[in-house]
Amino acid sequence: MSFSLIPRGVYPAVTHISPKALAEKGVRLVLADLDNTLVPYRVTEPSRAVRQWRDALAAEGIALFLLSNSRKPGRPHSFAQKLDIPCIGHAGKPKREGFFRAMERMGVTPDQTVMVGDQIFTDVLGANRSGVTPLLVKPIRLAGNPGRYIRYAVETPFRLLGRWRPFV
């Protein structure tokens, strides 16, 4: 398992990641972060675009699974229920345990799994440490927490390097 902060591609949004291209690479499971990846912070309903992306994944035989570090009680599970997908909240990313629990639950291996997230130090690092392919998306919205601006600024070199390594 690798200690790498470099993603396999940087995408404008989850909906720019082609389910067909993922299926052609042998992907059977997409682990997805919640906040700033699928929806902005505090948004409780999946958008039509996210629902359509989930349906397109399913049509290719790929399961979508919510893997969130959210500390808000019930938020990840409530959102996952609205999308009718499985979920692990308080996943502890970048620790590997949440990734392995999700893959075991879905009966897949790391080489059949990708992680889609907006953060280098949780989503990308955790995926790389678990042998899962990390796909990075632009954060939906940075507004609100000044710490996010600092964190994303520190992540900039890794985001730039990731652009040269697209997976799909």
Side-chain angles (χ1 to χ4, degrees):
M1 309 306 158
S2 142
F3 181 90
S4 175
L5 298 172
I6 303 172
R8 290 292 309 275
V10 179
Y11 307 87
V14 294
T15 55
H16 285 79
I17 299 170
S18 164
K20 182 175 175 56
L22 290 174
E24 289 170 357
K25 294 273 192 176
V27 172
R28 292 185 40 218
L29 177 64
V30 172
L31 302 174
D33 180 48
L34 174 57
D35 291 315
N36 252 354
T37 298
L38 292 178
V39 293
Y41 285 91
R42 295 196 265 315
V43 170
T44 60
E45 295 291 326
S47 68
R48 179 184 315 209
V50 167
R51 288 179 189 279
Q52 290 171 338
W53 187 64
R54 177 219 41 211
D55 293 345
L57 287 169
E60 294 292 339
I62 301 170
L64 180 60
F65 191 111
L66 187 62
L67 189 67
S68 174
N69 277 355
S70 178
R71 294 184 190 114
K72 298 206 168 73
R75 174 167 165 66
H77 296 285
S78 173
F79 189 87
Q81 189 173 32
K82 291 173 184 172
L83 262 182
D84 195 27
I85 62 173
C87 170
I88 294 176
H90 303 290
K93 297 176 289 183
K95 294 178 185 171
R96 300 181 314 168
E97 290 79 14
F99 291 88
F100 290 137
R101 282 194 345 246
M103 289 184 286
E104 181 179 344
R105 188 167 156 189
M106 301 306 289
V108 299
T109 60
D111 63 323
Q112 298 171 310
T113 306
V114 298
M115 172 72 206
V116 179
D118 68 303
Q119 293 186 43
I120 296 287
F121 297 109
T122 55
D123 304 315
V124 171
L125 179 57
N128 277 325
R129 291 183 69 228
S130 304
V132 169
T133 300
L135 308 179
L136 190 68
V137 295
K138 274 185 58 181
I140 296 171
R141 185 177 5 168
L142 291 178
N145 182 341
R148 284 188 206 125
Y149 293 100
I150 295 167
R151 184 176 63 237
Y152 285 115
V154 171
E155 293 178 350
T156 297
F158 305 107
R159 290 175 184 280
L160 293 173
L161 288 169
R163 288 188 180 154
W164 299 102
R165 301 181 52 203
F167 183 68
V168 292

